[in-house]
Amino acid sequence: MTETNAAAIGATRETQADRRRALLWHIVDDYSLILIFIVLFAVLSFTVEYFFSWDNVVGLALSVSQIGMVACTMMFCLASRDFDLSVGSTVAFAGVMCAIVANASGSVVLGIAASLVAGAVIGAINGVVIAKLKINALITTLATMEIVRGLAFITSHGQAVGVTSEAFFTLGALELFGLPVPVWVTVACFVVFGVLLNKTIYGRNTLAIGGNPDAARLAGVAVDRTRIAIFLIQGVVAALAGIILASRMTSGQPNAGEGFELNVISACVLGGVSLMGGRASISGVLVGVLIMGTVQNAMSLMNIDAFYQYLVRGAILLIAVLVDQLKNRRQSR
Amino acid sequence: MTETNAAAIGATRETQADRRRALLWHIVDDYSLILIFIVLFAVLSFTVEYFFSWDNVVGLALSVSQIGMVACTMMFCLASRDFDLSVGSTVAFAGVMCAIVANASGSVVLGIAASLVAGAVIGAINGVVIAKLKINALITTLATMEIVRGLAFITSHGQAVGVTSEAFFTLGALELFGLPVPVWVTVACFVVFGVLLNKTIYGRNTLAIGGNPDAARLAGVAVDRTRIAIFLIQGVVAALAGIILASRMTSGQPNAGEGFELNVISACVLGGVSLMGGRASISGVLVGVLIMGTVQNAMSLMNIDAFYQYLVRGAILLIAVLVDQLKNRRQSR
Amino acid sequence: MTMATTAPRLEFRHIGKTFPGVRALGDVGFSVRAGSVHGLLGENGAGKSTMMKILGGEYIPDEGEVAIDGEVMHFRKAADAIAAGVAVIHQELQYVPELSVMENLLLGRLPTRFGLVDRRAALKWTRERLDALGVDLDPRARLKSLSIGQRQMVEIVKAILRDAKILALDEPTSSLSHRETEVLFRLVNDLRAQGKAMIYISHRLDEIFELCDAATIFRDGRKVADFDTLEGVTRDTLVQRMVGRDIGDIFGYKPREQGEVRLAVKGVTGRAVQQPVSFEVRAGEIVGFFGLVGAGRSEIMRVVYGADRRLGGDVTVDGRAVKASHIRDAIRSGLVFCPEDRKEDGIIGVRSVSENINISARRNHLTAGLFVNDRNEARTADTYIERLRIRTPHRKQEIRLLSGGNQQKAVLSRWLAEKDLRVLIVDEPTRGIDVGAKNEIYNVLYELAARGVAVVMISSELPEVLGVADRVITMCRGRITAQFNRGEANEENVLAAALPEGASATPMRNA
Amino acid sequence: FAADDPVKIGFVVKQPEEPWFQDEWKYAEQAAKEKGFTLVKIAAPDGGQVLTAIDNLKAQHAQGFVICTPDVKLGPSIVAKAKMNRLKLMTVDDRLVDGSGKPIEAVPHMGISASKIGEQVGQAIADEMKKRGWKPEETGALRISYDQLPTAKDRTDGAITALTAAGFPKANVVNAPQAKTDTENAFNAANIAITQNPKYKHWVAFGLNDEAVLGAVRAAEGRGFRADNMIGVGIGGSKSALNEFAKAEPTGFFGSVLISPKRHGYETSVDMYEWIKNDKAPPPLTLTTGRLVTKANAGEVRKEMGL
Ligand SMILES: Nc1ncnc2c1ncn2[C@@H]1O[C@H](COP(=O)(O)OP(=O)(O)OP(=O)(O)O)[C@@H](O)[C@H]1O
Ligand SMILES: Nc1ncnc2c1ncn2[C@@H]1O[C@H](COP(=O)(O)OP(=O)(O)OP(=O)(O)O)[C@@H](O)[C@H]1O
Ligand SMILES: [Mg+2]
Ligand SMILES: [Mg+2]
């Protein structure tokens, strides 16, 4: 056949100029959130005292480091049309676990390993229940959130568990090339999960599953296995965040990370990850995390009353999503 | 060319017995959750001392009365494939508002009215943002949750606002025919919203929207208007719950109702309301609310350690949904 | 049954499958030879798709077995079937809207290099294969930006690119244009030459005759006929076996009186309808809208109905203006619309058949002006289930569990139940509908028209437009290009008017 | 109530996850074992759950309860509810107030007021500052605040009162609001506050509990304010504080004001038992005092207090 379908249909209604404009918009759209963040950052740098200082920037990075790590894996979770509320509890439990095992065995490495394994087990349980037993992710992880929090309290008797080994503290306090280790770990997470999302079968399958689980399954994608892997990895990373938090605080605290899950999910959604699955970008998530952290940081620097901070947080969330929405609206016109 | 016996085709494919069995299963399925609850209740009655006493049953009813009210409207919200996280904050704000206005004006009626109006406004804002601006419900209500909680703190200066009028307390304490007023209000909510769901266009349209918003719109359903109505009514009912809670506590407390939204949503999902929309039953929600309340009540009666209560709550949630899931699995096998 | 000369590549043996309340298949068996296209025919709900889902490993049969080259297979999941060399194109398209054409085509088997997806290799491979197949698709376009027809094409190519030895196509042409259909036929013929065994499901008998070597007919989940060859088999035989009765002329056109102008569309524009469009339909008249896919017929009708924003122009029903972009006002005026995309815009999947039928009409039957009248709704639902022969165990069945054709009938019933129906716009009403049911739907349209309803029928099937409509309007690139009264219209002039200028007007069989 | 009926006492607390309340429960349990009554432990983190808890106690035929309420303004409704359910009522830690904010005298109470304990913290900091010879104008005070919780506000305000009374300039008090009451949030709040005020050479920190102060101490460490430039004094003497004291090197976590959970848990339940069993009403008001524990005296003080 000589004629192309497009020619036959006559769909090529666009001119060259149209196309160029479309491309420009495409770029603006793709990076709109980044632009928003840059503008926000610039404005704050000029208006808020101390905002644009190395100390503050490091503090900001540190304050979002745990959220950032877990946001990477939450992105996968949301992209596959799932949901995980149990990460906050896992952070707490992992910290406690690490401290207990490290104290008992005298080996920090063993504590860390035990804690990562615990995270993997929690994640795997979530994954299996959700993928195999086909129970709603929200309910499953709400249940494990309760259970794991309970375990954190039970194992620690509700008390902070101090770690005696010095080696453990350095993990959280050490600086490399001017940045503290937790920040480097977070950066590493973004790089690793960015590559995983965009460059590996695992990432592409995740998006496919979120976009249309049936299609993925019918195409032979190991849907269940991928979903379980997503939760398992999320458990491990949440545990890692918990360990790092514990090392920063020099103790495992059973009530750490309350509300953490909603912060992480907000950051992802702010970063353009669709709750309906199938859409995610690592740069978006990074910016989402940064916007959240920056706003909180700036509010504190500006001495905004704690009560009014609720208003600002809510408003920022709305505005950011609204802007993103307007962009999508134009796109689908 | 061959032919099979054409006579065989005409025969009815199902026998009478098949049909009867199918019907029986249908009934068991429809009422499986109720059966679970009855069994649970019976077992607890026999094993837990004091459980089966009028005092305790009234106490149980009272303890779930706020959740019950809001679960009725949350059912609509979930059934239309939406989500509302702001109800807990609304409960708090409504209580504070009611107390402040009642104190300022000296009129409890005015306080109640102001508070209901505030609830309606919050709900309407949620609804308009979600339906008209097409922003994800989770994010929108997460934002209003923050904002409204902030308002509650700001208006009350972070302090509980005591109400001076005696009339206000009786609302929460009065008993009619042996049951306290809040319980009656909850019963009324279940009746009204049960009828609304099953017997009115509003309810049916809600389910249709949840099932497929696009198709519903093309079938002439006023999708936006219905969605806004759902949130508005939810706001009013959450405010009502807040007022009643405040009257029970004789003060409006700005930090009331934290975590309330997840409890309400859990109760609904436990009651078989699908988070994917389109499926809901009022009896299910009632049972969901009762199961949640009963488990908590029995745990207190059995003096279960606070830390282990987390485990039990999580486990119960999982088990109940699992049972329900098994039922569905058989159905769609 | 005469023994086939070659051993069958694929064999179904005594397959049975029961869903709650529905026996979808009972003791069905047939076999498919390598290098042949086997047609599968049957009414809506006969069990064809169920059979294909069993073949694809999606359903596990209750009884019987599937054998490939004589070896019994036990598919427990889709991946098993794929591994055994089976590719199924499902009736409900299964693509990932957010991913690119390339990624959809390579779903589940993207090439990797050092553990990372080798995008360049994938792109190259995809381009080459698409070129080799003569299919024009941009590998990088996202699926959601393509037309339905193009998406269907992606699905087909996806299956073909699997290099499977067995290929099943479940109504692949239901949303393809003439031209895309041509491409498909050429592909199928090539595959036959390569020795693939293929199953081809369609409700369009011409396609069966054109493409198939053998055929099997299902009815009510049983096999009623097997044809080793279609030589000498008449169309009427097939129809008779399928439906169990003689239909004769499937269109069965009945002339009727025409009244005053009912629907007047004047200069209507919308976002996707740039040039103003005007036309009129009289009471009792059936107007067929013909055009190639993408001609803009659906768009204009959606604007007329109010589903999409109307930017300009007037729509009147019996002289009364219909508010712009206001569906409920259209319905109140007696103007209703059946969308083409049943799954996305038509049915409310998780609700019952009865709910789907009553969703709009119930407002006229409220008790005390407030409460839904359940008894009346049950009656309405049962009436239409019977009248349109909707195959469902009961009216409370979730509509998503019905076969595609039966869903279509339920959506149509929704509007037939309207008390004061004046204008009915149906967009591809017989897409995926069996011959018997088509005939029933045409009869419903005639009946409505005879009652004075103005009917607009969008269709991409030329014979249907010619056979049913009193007047044919052709569209091309968003504009009305011609009108033909019944009698004037024939294949050549209608097609010529529908094709964009410069394209050849002759029906294209040039592959 | 017949004299030989088994005695059952409820012990309702607002934050069951807090070590403090865990300890109170533990010592109440000890009393129950010694005296032979049944103790029902219920958690009631908000007003609604307080009322549910009281109903629950009535249902299981308890005769009285000790409560630490999530909000003292719940006073009238708790009193009314207890009366309606015919339960004897005692409060611990936090004293109920009526609509006009006056303490409800009719309810026996054991505890230490939130502002009092805060004042002790402030005093401890002021004393230590003097000892170290810090100039107040070179010192910043981190108020790790969580004003959403009335007790938290009272405690930190108390500390400010004592500090200013000791001559600390009020302007040097830096408010660092934490978004949640955990250590990480305290860390972030403190970190920002330190960034904002580079002018101070030394820092002191106080907050709602030990965890809040711990966060501030860690943040200060990160910014180079170590043991000799930081005085953090927490409240509770919890494990978080003890962990700090257990470290080989002293940290900025100077001390914690310890209140005896043993007295509060044990004595209130014994009082309640006596009240029910022998109709011996408890004293209307028992005020306990907190004690400052530091790295030096932690073990000693705890032993003294029977912990
Ligand atoms: N998951 C299911 N649950 C219940 N019934 C089902 C399910 N899937 C199919 N059915 C029923 O099985 C029967 C056969 O359906 P199937 O989809 O195979 O028909 P079909 O021959 O493909 O029809 P069409 O030509 O309309 O596509 C129908 O009556 C349908 O309602
Ligand atoms: N989902 C979609 N996304 C983007 N463009 C689309 C989509 N659906 C259709 N189009 C484009 O809109 C135009 C007209 O669409 P459509 O195919 O519905 O026209 P039509 O005349 O109704 O044809 P038919 O009914 O035969 O499909 C075409 O250019 C088509 O490519
Ligand atoms: Mg089919
Ligand atoms: Mg169309």
Side-chain angles (χ1 to χ4, degrees):
Chain A
M1 183 169 141
T2 44
E3 254 171 313
T4 64
N5 290 320
I9 300 165
T12 44
R13 276 184 240 169
E14 333 169 327
T15 66
Q16 195 67 24
D18 273 352
R19 216 172 274 170
R20 209 158 16 196
R21 207 180 41 213
L23 191 71
L24 183 71
W25 270 123
H26 198 61
I27 291 172
V28 172
D29 282 346
D30 272 6
Y31 299 99
S32 66
L33 213 64
I34 299 181
L35 284 178
I36 294 178
F37 173 67
I38 291 174
V39 169
L40 180 74
F41 196 89
V43 168
L44 290 176
S45 297
F46 283 109
T47 56
V48 179
E49 204 183 0
Y50 302 116
F51 179 81
F52 192 68
S53 64
W54 183 245
D55 275 350
N56 189 52
V57 171
V58 170
L60 200 167
L62 211 48
S63 75
V64 295
S65 59
Q66 271 77 42
I67 289 185
M69 284 175 218
V70 182
C72 291
T73 52
M74 186 63 85
M75 172 184 74
F76 276 77
C77 197
L78 298 178
S80 70
R81 221 186 266 192
D82 274 324
F83 213 83
D84 193 347
L85 294 177
S86 69
V87 286
S89 298
T90 307
V91 164
F93 180 61
V96 168
M97 181 86 172
C98 179
I100 290 178
V101 173
N103 284 347
S105 69
S107 152
V108 171
V109 175
L110 216 62
I112 292 176
S115 175
L116 292 178
V117 169
V121 170
I122 294 166
I125 291 175
N126 277 336
V128 170
V129 171
I130 291 167
K132 293 288 183 187
L133 303 183
K134 312 241 178 293
I135 296 187
N136 179 288
L138 187 85
I139 291 295
T140 305
T141 58
L142 195 62
T144 45
M145 166 175 123
E146 294 267 345
I147 293 173
V148 174
R149 179 70 67 184
L151 289 178
F153 281 124
I154 291 169
T155 48
S156 66
H157 307 287
Q159 307 264 10
V161 183
V163 182
T164 35
S165 158
E166 285 290 329
F168 189 55
F169 309 153
T170 48
L171 195 66
L174 201 70
E175 300 210 343
L176 288 174
F177 311 110
L179 279 179
V181 170
V183 175
W184 283 117
V185 174
T186 309
V187 170
C189 280
F190 272 100
V191 171
V192 169
F193 287 102
V195 170
L196 275 179
L197 181 72
N198 294 312
K199 298 279 169 199
T200 66
I201 302 242
Y202 170 65
R204 303 324 285 175
N205 281 353
T206 299
L207 289 172
I209 291 171
N212 185 348
D214 288 334
R217 194 168 43 78
L218 292 175
V221 171
V223 174
D224 288 356
R225 212 196 302 149
T226 308
R227 292 176 79 190
I228 293 173
I230 290 169
F231 279 99
L232 193 149
I233 295 173
Q234 168 121 306
V236 172
V237 172
L240 182 66
I243 294 166
I244 290 180
L245 185 64
S247 91
R248 287 178 56 202
M249 303 303 151
T250 70
S251 59
Q253 311 230 355
N255 57 359
E258 273 177 21
F260 183 78
E261 51 284 342
L262 286 184
N263 284 335
V264 171
I265 293 172
S266 301
C268 286
V269 176
L270 208 53
V273 180
S274 162
L275 287 174
M276 304 312 286
R279 226 184 317 160
S281 87
I282 192 82
S283 64
V285 170
L286 176 62
V287 173
V289 168
L290 288 177
I291 289 184
M292 297 256 307
T294 305
V295 168
Q296 188 63 46
N297 178 281
M299 285 199 297
S300 301
L301 282 179
M302 291 192 277
N303 283 331
I304 294 184
D305 186 289
F307 298 160
Y308 285 89
Q309 293 201 5
Y310 283 90
L311 301 194
V312 178
R313 267 199 303 270
I316 291 284
L317 204 56
L318 264 192
I319 292 169
V321 189
L322 191 62
V323 170
D324 200 53
Q325 178 57 36
L326 290 178
K327 166 195 108 182
N328 284 336
R329 179 123 17 124
R330 222 208 26 266
Q331 231 172 17
S332 72
R333 192 179 42 187
Chain B
M1 171 180 144
T2 45
E3 280 174 45
T4 56
N5 185 2
I9 302 150
T12 44
R13 278 180 273 162
E14 326 168 335
T15 67
Q16 196 65 26
D18 273 351
R19 211 171 282 172
R20 210 160 16 204
R21 207 180 41 212
L23 192 72
L24 183 70
W25 271 122
H26 199 62
I27 291 173
V28 172
D29 283 345
D30 273 7
Y31 298 100
S32 66
L33 212 65
I34 300 183
L35 283 177
I36 294 176
F37 173 66
I38 291 175
V39 170
L40 179 75
F41 196 88
V43 168
L44 290 176
S45 298
F46 282 109
T47 55
V48 179
E49 208 185 358
Y50 305 116
F51 180 81
F52 191 67
S53 64
W54 181 245
D55 275 350
N56 189 53
V57 171
V58 170
L60 197 165
L62 212 45
S63 75
V64 296
S65 58
Q66 272 78 43
I67 290 186
M69 283 174 218
V70 182
C72 290
T73 51
M74 187 63 84
M75 172 183 73
F76 276 78
C77 196
L78 298 178
S80 69
R81 220 187 271 187
D82 274 324
F83 214 82
D84 193 348
L85 292 177
S86 70
V87 287
S89 298
T90 307
V91 163
F93 181 61
V96 168
M97 181 86 174
C98 180
I100 290 178
V101 174
N103 284 346
S105 69
S107 154
V108 171
V109 175
L110 216 61
I112 293 175
S115 173
L116 291 178
V117 169
V121 170
I122 295 166
I125 291 174
N126 277 335
V128 169
V129 171
I130 292 166
K132 293 287 184 190
L133 304 184
K134 312 244 180 292
I135 296 187
N136 180 289
L138 188 86
I139 292 296
T140 306
T141 58
L142 195 63
T144 46
M145 167 174 124
E146 294 269 346
I147 293 174
V148 174
R149 178 70 65 185
L151 289 178
F153 280 125
I154 291 168
T155 49
S156 67
H157 306 287
Q159 306 274 353
V161 183
V163 181
T164 34
S165 158
E166 282 291 328
F168 189 55
F169 309 153
T170 49
L171 194 66
L174 202 69
E175 299 211 344
L176 286 174
F177 311 110
L179 281 178
V181 169
V183 176
W184 283 117
V185 174
T186 309
V187 169
C189 280
F190 272 99
V191 172
V192 168
F193 287 101
V195 170
L196 274 178
L197 181 72
N198 294 312
K199 295 282 164 197
T200 66
I201 291 201
Y202 170 65
R204 300 295 181 89
N205 282 355
T206 299
L207 291 167
I209 292 169
N212 185 345
D214 293 331
R217 193 173 72 90
L218 285 179
V221 172
V223 175
D224 288 356
R225 209 197 297 156
T226 307
R227 291 176 82 191
I228 293 172
I230 289 170
F231 278 99
L232 192 149
I233 295 175
Q234 169 120 306
V236 173
V237 171
L240 183 66
I243 294 167
I244 289 179
L245 186 65
S247 93
R248 287 179 59 203
M249 300 191 301
T250 68
S251 59
Q253 310 234 349
N255 51 8
E258 274 178 21
F260 184 79
E261 51 285 341
L262 285 184
N263 283 333
V264 170
I265 293 171
S266 300
C268 285
V269 176
L270 209 53
V273 179
S274 162
L275 287 174
M276 304 310 287
R279 256 179 268 199
S281 88
I282 191 85
S283 65
V285 171
L286 176 60
V287 172
V289 169
L290 288 177
I291 289 183
M292 298 254 308
T294 304
V295 169
Q296 191 60 48
N297 176 283
M299 285 198 296
S300 298
L301 285 181
M302 291 192 280
N303 222 345
I304 292 182
D305 186 288
F307 295 163
Y308 285 90
Q309 292 199 8
Y310 282 91
L311 301 195
V312 178
R313 266 198 305 270
I316 292 283
L317 204 57
L318 264 191
I319 293 170
V321 190
L322 190 62
V323 170
D324 202 53
Q325 179 56 37
L326 289 179
K327 167 195 109 184
N328 286 337
R329 175 116 28 116
R330 218 200 38 259
Q331 243 170 7
S332 70
R333 191 190 43 184
Chain C
M1 181 177 170
T2 52
M3 270 321 278
T5 44
T6 42
R9 157 85 13 121
L10 169 69
E11 216 179 331
F12 293 99
R13 297 175 185 153
H14 310 289
I15 301 277
K17 179 77 193 170
T18 306
F19 297 110
V22 185
R23 182 140 182 81
L25 289 171
D27 192 23
V28 183
F30 68 93
S31 49
V32 183
R33 272 171 284 129
S36 78
V37 181
H38 195 103
L40 202 53
L41 293 91
E43 290 176 288
N44 296 125
K48 305 180 294 294
S49 296
T50 304
M51 198 66 151
M52 291 310 101
K53 286 178 183 166
I54 287 170
L55 175 63
E58 199 178 342
Y59 289 161
I60 299 166
D62 301 337
E63 299 130 35
E65 58 202 22
V66 177
I68 295 178
D69 292 329
E71 191 187 333
V72 175
M73 297 284 149
H74 295 284
F75 298 151
R76 306 215 67 85
K77 54 182 191 293
D80 298 345
I82 291 173
V86 176
V88 179
I89 297 164
H90 291 273
Q91 186 174 9
E92 300 292 353
L93 297 187
Q94 295 293 0
Y95 53 84
V96 185
E98 296 284 343
L99 294 185
S100 66
V101 169
M102 176 193 90
E103 285 190 292
N104 270 281
L105 292 178
L106 287 171
L107 195 56
R109 54 196 193 107
L110 281 166
T112 55
R113 208 160 145 242
F114 311 123
L116 300 184
V117 172
D118 190 346
R119 200 175 289 266
R120 184 152 346 138
L123 209 56
K124 183 157 166 280
W125 185 85
T126 312
R127 278 230 170 85
E128 282 169 10
R129 299 302 298 263
L130 285 176
D131 285 349
L133 292 175
V135 177
D136 177 61
L137 283 169
D138 176 2
R140 282 172 309 182
R142 282 208 225 168
L143 259 274
K144 65 171 189 180
S145 70
L146 302 181
S147 71
I148 299 287
Q150 287 171 314
R151 295 180 207 189
Q152 175 98 55
M153 215 59 212
V154 171
E155 286 289 285
I156 293 164
V157 173
K158 178 162 85 184
I160 290 172
L161 291 191
R162 278 192 196 289
D163 293 324
K165 52 186 175 184
I166 297 167
L167 195 64
L169 301 99
D170 195 349
E171 299 191 34
T173 52
S174 59
S175 40
L176 292 190
S177 68
H178 271 65
R179 223 156 254 270
E180 287 163 325
T181 304
E182 289 303 317
V183 177
L184 174 69
F185 281 13
R186 185 172 47 72
L187 293 175
V188 170
N189 283 321
D190 288 352
L191 292 168
R192 176 181 8 226
Q194 290 166 25
K196 314 266 182 198
M198 281 176 283
I199 296 176
Y200 189 90
I201 299 176
S202 178
H203 290 295
R204 299 182 184 164
L205 294 181
D206 329 350
E207 296 179 355
I208 300 288
F209 280 112
E210 180 170 347
L211 218 52
C212 297
D213 306 298
T216 297
I217 298 181
F218 283 9
R219 191 152 97 232
D220 284 348
R222 296 187 176 266
K223 185 171 77 175
V224 292
D226 248 343
F227 300 92
D228 279 342
T229 170
L230 289 175
E231 300 282 332
V233 179
T234 63
R235 193 190 168 89
D236 287 345
T237 318
L238 289 187
V239 173
Q240 204 277 333
R241 305 318 312 257
M242 235 158 74
V243 197
R245 64 196 149 97
D246 272 317
I247 288 192
D249 175 13
I250 172 183
F251 300 119
Y253 177 78
K254 299 185 190 85
R256 67 213 94 69
E257 287 285 300
Q258 289 180 10
E260 295 294 301
V261 169
R262 270 235 126 125
L263 170 69
V265 174
K266 283 198 211 82
V268 164
T269 55
R271 262 201 331 221
V273 188
Q274 265 124 15
Q275 290 113 333
V277 172
S278 308
F279 63 90
E280 290 180 346
V281 187
R282 296 173 171 278
E285 190 184 24
I286 300 178
V287 173
F289 268 73
F290 182 76
L292 301 181
V293 170
R297 298 160 298 166
S298 303
E299 276 74 7
I300 184 69
M301 293 310 163
R302 286 177 65 92
V303 174
V304 168
Y305 181 54
D308 289 346
R309 188 177 295 270
R310 193 204 302 165
L311 297 178
D314 300 306
V315 174
T316 55
V317 174
D318 289 336
R320 179 188 171 283
V322 178
K323 277 194 224 162
S325 322
H326 197 297
I327 291 176
R328 266 161 304 123
D329 193 51
I331 296 175
R332 273 196 297 268
S333 316
L335 166 67
V336 303
F337 173 75
C338 272
E340 62 181 330
D341 190 339
R342 192 161 53 222
K343 195 174 155 202
E344 294 295 323
D345 293 335
I347 61 165
I348 294 163
V350 295
R351 305 301 299 163
S352 69
V353 175
S354 171
E355 279 291 313
N356 272 279
I357 292 178
N358 284 296
I359 182 168
S360 175
R362 65 160 52 108
R363 68 181 193 285
N364 297 319
H365 305 287
L366 295 180
T367 314
L370 195 60
F371 301 110
V372 169
N373 185 341
D374 286 321
R375 196 171 316 156
N376 181 290
E377 297 199 352
R379 199 165 345 110
T380 310
D382 286 341
T383 306
Y384 290 102
I385 287 171
E386 196 159 322
R387 205 163 127 205
L388 298 190
R389 300 193 210 189
I390 299 174
R391 207 173 294 272
T392 172
H394 44 74
R395 62 172 179 272
K396 295 199 168 155
Q397 183 83 334
E398 286 184 14
I399 197 168
R400 72 194 166 94
L401 300 177
L402 265 53
S403 79
N406 286 305
Q407 294 174 0
Q408 179 74 39
K409 295 190 212 169
V411 174
L412 198 55
S413 307
R414 174 185 299 167
W415 299 127
L416 301 184
E418 277 292 320
K419 213 167 52 182
D420 186 24
L421 187 61
R422 291 158 191 253
V423 180
L424 173 67
I425 305 175
V426 284
D427 195 351
E428 309 284 4
T430 61
R431 178 172 286 174
I433 292 221
D434 72 54
V435 187
K438 265 185 191 167
N439 181 255
E440 286 153 23
I441 287 178
Y442 299 146
N443 283 332
V444 170
L445 295 184
Y446 298 143
E447 201 182 301
L448 288 172
R451 259 170 44 195
V453 175
V455 178
V456 173
M457 183 183 73
I458 298 177
S459 174
S460 299
E461 282 187 60
L462 194 45
E464 176 173 280
V465 176
L466 296 175
V468 174
D470 299 310
R471 183 155 53 101
V472 178
I473 296 181
T474 56
M475 284 190 72
C476 179
R477 290 184 180 173
R479 273 182 308 146
I480 291 181
T481 49
Q483 289 202 32
F484 304 92
N485 285 325
R486 193 178 179 84
E488 297 164 24
N490 59 41
E491 285 215 17
E492 282 71 34
N493 58 15
V494 170
L495 206 50
L499 282 174
E501 283 143 61
S504 80
T506 48
M508 46 279 132
R509 290 282 147 87
N510 56 350
Chain D
F1 172 69
D4 44 340
D5 269 1
V7 175
K8 189 178 245 180
I9 294 174
F11 205 113
V12 181
V13 304
K14 60 183 174 186
Q15 285 170 304
E17 292 82 13
E18 287 280 316
W20 165 258
F21 294 108
Q22 285 293 317
D23 285 341
E24 269 190 357
W25 271 351
K26 194 170 86 194
Y27 293 111
E29 197 77 75
Q30 188 186 330
K33 217 166 273 149
E34 285 171 17
K35 298 283 176 183
F37 61 87
T38 317
L39 185 81
V40 182
K41 300 181 292 190
I42 303 184
D46 68 35
Q49 290 179 50
V50 168
L51 303 179
T52 300
I54 303 174
D55 280 333
N56 199 296
L57 287 169
K58 179 198 182 191
Q60 43 182 314
H61 297 221
Q63 297 94 4
F65 64 100
V66 181
I67 184 170
C68 173
T69 171
D71 192 319
V72 292
K73 289 247 178 77
L74 285 170
S77 68
I78 293 175
V79 172
K81 191 95 188 174
K83 200 150 130 209
M84 204 167 83
N85 289 356
R86 283 194 217 91
L87 290 163
K88 292 194 164 62
L89 167 65
M90 243 186 107
T91 54
V92 68
D93 301 341
D94 294 339
R95 196 171 190 191
L96 301 180
V97 300
D98 61 17
S100 52
K102 283 203 296 288
I104 301 177
E105 313 263 352
V107 179
H109 173 73
M110 173 183 278
I112 175 168
S113 79
S115 41
K116 269 272 152 29
I117 197 167
E119 284 169 25
Q120 266 185 310
V121 169
Q123 196 54 52
I125 293 175
D127 292 348
E128 181 64 17
M129 271 177 65
K130 195 169 290 166
K131 212 158 96 198
R132 297 188 186 187
W134 290 0
K135 292 200 190 99
E137 54 277 14
E138 290 177 350
T139 309
L142 281 169
R143 174 184 180 251
I144 307 298
S145 65
Y146 189 72
D147 292 347
Q148 291 90 317
L149 200 66
T151 327
K153 186 166 165 19
D154 292 346
R155 287 181 176 183
T156 45
D157 287 350
I160 296 175
T161 309
L163 270 177
T164 44
F168 191 85
K170 200 159 188 181
N172 287 13
V173 177
V174 180
N175 195 33
Q178 51 181 155
K180 291 248 158 50
T181 58
D182 62 5
T183 313
E184 190 195 0
N185 279 292
F187 180 101
N188 292 335
N191 203 10
I192 290 168
I194 295 172
T195 303
Q196 264 177 313
N197 296 281
K199 55 182 177 283
Y200 297 122
K201 289 199 182 134
H202 322 283
W203 282 98
V204 302
F206 52 90
L208 155 71
N209 52 19
D210 287 333
E211 282 72 25
V213 174
L214 181 63
V217 168
R218 284 290 96 82
E221 271 169 15
R223 307 298 292 274
F225 296 92
R226 303 197 161 266
D228 41 358
N229 280 319
M230 173 80 186
I231 303 171
V233 177
I235 293 174
S238 69
K239 208 66 199 290
S240 289
L242 298 180
N243 291 334
E244 288 298 299
F245 301 153
K247 286 183 180 164
E249 290 295 310
T251 69
F253 199 102
F254 172 73
S256 174
V257 172
L258 172 69
I259 331 159
S260 168
K262 176 157 188 188
R263 278 199 74 186
H264 286 206
Y266 184 88
E267 285 181 22
T268 47
S269 22
V270 169
D271 282 352
M272 179 55 79
Y273 172 76
E274 292 292 330
W275 195 6
I276 293 164
K277 187 80 180 173
N278 306 324
D279 208 17
K280 198 173 123 228
L285 184 62
T286 316
L287 287 179
T288 58
T289 46
R291 282 195 55 183
L292 179 70
V293 290
T294 59
K295 189 172 167 66
N297 71 357
E300 227 173 287
V301 173
R302 283 174 58 79
K303 203 176 290 155
E304 243 173 70
M305 287 183 143
L307 299 174

